[in-house]
Amino acid sequence: ETELPLFEAINKLHGNWGNVGEYFQPFAESCVAPIILLTIYGHFNVEPLRVLQLQQVLRIAVLRNKHIEVRTAVQPGKNRGAKPYRRSFPVDDSDFASPNSVLDVMIEWTRRIRGDAGIYCDCVFIFVTRENKVKTFASATLDGKSSDSKWIHHLSEFCKRHNLPDFNLRELR
């Protein structure tokens, strides 16, 4: 709960909480750029990334070099068996757009809100809604609900905010 003087100061100096809240916790649109980066870098399907679990992000060694391995579930309907598919990337802490940096930032940025995330607490890409609830871009495989329309809406808003042409991630892959 926010103390009233702090809340009033934020409203007076910054217009409202929405103008500064993103510095403390991600909003839905905040998750778009990291998901886009990982989609481009790793040729991931978007739906499994949207519900990527913490336990699917592993630190491994490949020939004595540090790597990060991402194991994602295959979308329903794909004939690849029950096994997840894996992507492994060398750890590059000097590149803020590398998969390990993107995932480290998202995991750290969402640490404080995980306790309020309920069934989404193990998801990497969680965010706070305007109703002050912690959610993810749900997948039917996670909670029986699909939020494709929410994802498409926030991707479109991201494009408008950054003066990008409308696109879908299938075009990027």
Side-chain angles (χ1 to χ4, degrees):
E1 182 144 330
T2 306
E3 292 184 29
L4 191 57
L6 176 61
F7 184 74
E8 288 174 356
I10 289 170
N11 281 336
K12 183 176 181 179
L13 295 172
H14 301 287
N16 66 39
W17 173 253
N19 293 336
V20 297
E22 193 171 25
Y23 294 111
F24 303 102
Q25 60 202 16
F27 297 150
E29 197 177 310
S30 313
C31 295
V32 173
I35 291 173
I36 290 172
L37 280 170
L38 288 173
T39 299
I40 293 168
Y41 204 100
H43 303 283
F44 287 103
N45 290 326
V46 176
E47 187 170 351
L49 267 184
R50 291 185 338 211
V51 293
L52 183 67
Q53 304 283 305
L54 295 171
Q55 62 268 23
Q56 293 173 299
V57 179
L58 307 167
R59 301 271 177 187
I60 63 171
V62 176
L63 299 173
R64 297 187 189 167
N65 294 308
K66 293 179 183 178
H67 277 239
I68 191 161
E69 183 178 80
V70 179
R71 296 178 180 185
T72 60
V74 177
Q75 289 178 311
K78 303 258 183 176
N79 280 334
R80 296 187 190 155
K83 294 182 181 179
Y85 64 94
R86 301 173 180 179
R87 301 284 193 272
S88 173
F89 310 98
V91 170
D92 185 357
D93 292 327
S94 65
D95 179 4
F96 65 88
S98 70
N100 68 286
S101 295
V102 169
L103 290 166
D104 287 347
V105 164
M106 287 307 301
I107 291 167
E108 187 58 35
W109 195 14
T110 56
R111 185 177 313 281
R112 189 182 63 75
I113 62 174
R114 287 194 183 284
D116 298 324
I119 64 169
Y120 308 121
C121 67
D122 290 328
C123 291
V124 172
F125 298 102
I126 56 176
F127 54 85
V128 176
T129 66
R130 291 180 186 207
E131 295 79 30
N132 208 29
K133 297 191 184 311
V134 180
K135 301 250 180 169
T136 188
F137 292 111
S139 161
T141 58
L142 180 66
D143 63 2
K145 302 173 189 171
S146 175
S147 64
D148 287 345
S149 60
K150 285 184 184 177
W151 165 254
I152 292 166
H153 168 76
H154 290 293
L155 176 59
S156 176
E157 290 299 310
F158 176 85
C159 290
K160 286 178 194 170
R161 182 178 180 184
H162 298 285
N163 296 317
L164 298 170
D166 279 337
F167 64 91
N168 65 53
L169 294 183
R170 195 174 308 139
E171 294 168 340
L172 291 178
R173 289 183 62 225

